[in-house]
């Protein structure tokens, strides 16, 4: 897998997300208050809610549909909830965000 440029860090709102539209499912790229950047499949493991529309707090995002807390670093729901959404490796270099996305051929 190779690294794909996603956006600039300053294009992601602090405590929010930017959505990368893809044919195989959207990716939400999050930025927390500490300027850490994370990427998850934009679908809550509970009912499929758009995580990109949730509220970022610390290293979690609250799903806008049922308030499940999803951990940004691995995409897993915080206890007592269960389930995971796909997470993507992220790196930031010179203010640019890169994701490692496996292409499906």
């Amino acid at each position: 897998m190779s690294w794909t440029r996603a956006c600039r860090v300053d294009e992601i709102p602090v405590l929010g997300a930017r959505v990368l539209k893809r044919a195989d499912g959207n990716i939400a790229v999050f930025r927390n208050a500490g300027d850490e950047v994370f990427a998850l499949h934009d679908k809550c493991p509970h009912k499929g809610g758009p995580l990109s529309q949730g509220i970022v707090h610390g290293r979690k995002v609250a799903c806008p549909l049922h308030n499940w807390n999803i951990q940004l670093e691995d995409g897993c729901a915080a206890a007592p909830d269960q389930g995971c959404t796909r997470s993507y490796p992220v790196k930031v270099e010179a203010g640019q965000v890169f994701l490692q996305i496996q292409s499906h051929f």
Side-chain angles (χ1 to χ4, degrees), residues 31-86:
R31 180 177 169 196
N32 69 8
D35 277 336
E36 293 177 292
V37 179
F38 306 89
L40 300 176
H41 181 64
D42 193 18
K43 196 171 184 180
C44 179
H46 176 227
K47 297 272 184 174
L51 294 175
S52 60
Q53 294 178 23
I55 297 171
V56 175
H57 53 100
R59 299 181 106 207
K60 297 178 185 166
V61 61
C63 177
L65 295 184
H66 300 101
N67 207 34
W68 275 35
N69 286 298
I70 309 300
Q71 299 175 110
L72 293 171
E73 57 274 331
D74 63 8
C76 292
D81 299 320
Q82 296 179 344
C84 292
T85 194
R86 182 174 180 182

